[in-house]
Amino acid sequence: MEQTLILIKPDAIEKRLTGIILSRFEALGLEIAGAKAVSATEELLRKHYANLAGTPFVDEVVRFMMGDYNHLPDHRIYAFVLRGENAVSRVRAALGATNPDKAEPWTLRGQFGCVKNGVMQNAVHASGTPEEAAREIALWFKPEEVLA
Ligand code: TYD
């Protein structure tokens, strides 16, 4: 069984989309193996987005993930480990393209994302490959927080 990391981003939390997003993964038959609310630090987010280091938009993306984009008094991310057959590719397909303006209309990002001030507010993160999933799950969860 494959595992993948999902992050419900601050834009989706603010729009109260958490339940709708989770229901889509549940409908795919995926099992929740870990769940938590995280007030993510800049250090954690820079490690998570290490692949973006050096890009002109990384600072904006980190700020967005810390909820700074709309001056929310309280910032949070909901992190989940989902498990199931081909979980990584099936969840990515449910998300759609990175850019919400280009994502297919039946995908989560196509339906709930937007681009504001050059930052893609795309509602959900999901690991891109099984290797990425292993790295990201280890970053966001302690081993004992994920069901065996
Ligand atoms: P990336 O890891 O390339 O995409 P994905 O989230 O689909 O795996 O980028 C991480 C996040 O950075 C992406 O979800 C939104 C943001 N981003 C931008 O704001 N502008 C950009 O041009 C890119 C490529 C990403």
Side-chain angles (χ1 to χ4, degrees), residues 64-141:
F64 162 66
M65 293 294 281
M66 294 180 76
D68 282 355
Y69 70 104
N70 61 0
H71 311 289
L72 283 178
D74 150 42
H75 73 271
R76 66 181 63 198
I77 286 169
Y78 297 142
F80 296 90
V81 177
L82 299 184
R83 184 182 292 155
E85 294 291 342
N86 301 314
V88 171
S89 60
R90 290 167 70 217
V91 166
R92 285 289 285 208
L95 255 57
T98 303
N99 184 341
D101 290 345
K102 303 209 168 117
E104 300 286 7
W106 52 84
T107 60
L108 289 167
R109 287 171 166 178
Q111 289 173 347
F112 303 125
C114 64
V115 182
K116 273 197 194 143
N117 306 320
V119 179
M120 295 171 190
Q121 302 190 0
N122 59 14
V124 194
H125 165 83
S127 311
T129 63
E131 296 70 34
E132 214 173 272
R135 184 187 81 86
E136 293 178 354
I137 290 167
L139 207 52
W140 289 84
F141 286 85

Side-chain angles (χ1 to χ4, degrees), residues 7 9 17 23 33 45 47 51 78 84 89 107 113-114 124 132:
L7 301 176
K9 300 188 182 187
L17 295 169
S23 74
L45 290 165
K47 280 187 191 158
N51 62 316
Y78 297 142
S89 60
T107 60
C114 64
V124 194
E132 214 173 272

